Amino acid sequence: MDLIKVVEESFAREKKEFPKFKSGDTVTVAYRIVEGNKERIQQYRGVVIRISGHGDNKRFTVRKVSDNIGVERIFPLNSPFIENIILNSEGKVRRAKLYYLRSLRGKKARIKKKAF
């Protein structure tokens, strides 16, 4: 076995269980924020536009529109600051990276919902 993988596994923290999600899904990420000596949990809801990395280095990008300005945030999946991830809806997309949403506005930026 590769020596680097053995060391990474020995230092690995316990992993939280999150729902399976992919690009195009709408998720709410409960992220713990520390301000001075106070701590609060911020809910960040948006569309997953990208999942990158593998193993312990997996991260995902969530995009939301706030006051007509697009805001993107990258979350490491194994971050200790993530309290939980809630899957709000599943989107029907044909791509893994949804960078084209950055140039769309209004109704054109909507993603179709998956039919069950």
Side-chain angles (χ1 to χ4, degrees):
M1 187 178 230
D2 193 13
L3 192 58
I4 295 173
K5 289 184 180 179
V6 172
V7 173
E8 284 179 350
E9 289 174 3
S10 66
F11 285 110
R13 296 184 288 260
E14 85 280 347
K15 295 186 180 183
K16 295 181 182 178
E17 292 295 322
F18 298 123
K20 298 286 184 192
F21 58 91
K22 58 184 183 5
S23 294
D25 294 349
T26 303
V27 296
T28 302
V29 180
Y31 200 73
R32 189 170 358 115
I33 295 178
V34 178
E35 295 171 334
N37 56 0
K38 290 191 278 185
E39 206 173 274
R40 65 183 175 91
I41 294 177
Q42 179 181 7
Q43 304 286 333
Y44 194 90
R45 182 177 180 172
V47 177
V48 177
I49 64 167
R50 165 177 98 163
I51 299 175
S52 61
H54 62 281
D56 288 339
N57 295 327
K58 200 167 223 181
R59 56 207 171 273
F60 60 100
T61 304
V62 179
R63 177 180 175 82
K64 73 174 184 177
V65 177
S66 179
D67 293 330
N68 290 332
I69 298 174
V71 180
E72 293 181 8
R73 185 152 183 195
I74 301 170
F75 296 100
L77 195 59
N78 63 345
S79 172
F81 294 109
I82 293 180
E83 291 295 317
N84 63 0
I85 299 173
I86 300 168
L87 181 62
N88 299 111
S89 65
E90 295 184 20
K92 180 183 175 187
V93 294
R94 298 170 68 175
R95 300 178 184 275
K97 311 280 196 259
L98 305 178
Y99 298 137
Y100 66 90
L101 289 177
R102 294 173 177 165
S103 62
L104 300 179
R105 301 284 180 256
K107 288 185 178 181
K108 292 180 181 179
R110 286 189 297 188
I111 295 176
K112 292 181 181 178
K113 304 296 179 200
K114 187 178 277 190
F116 292 104

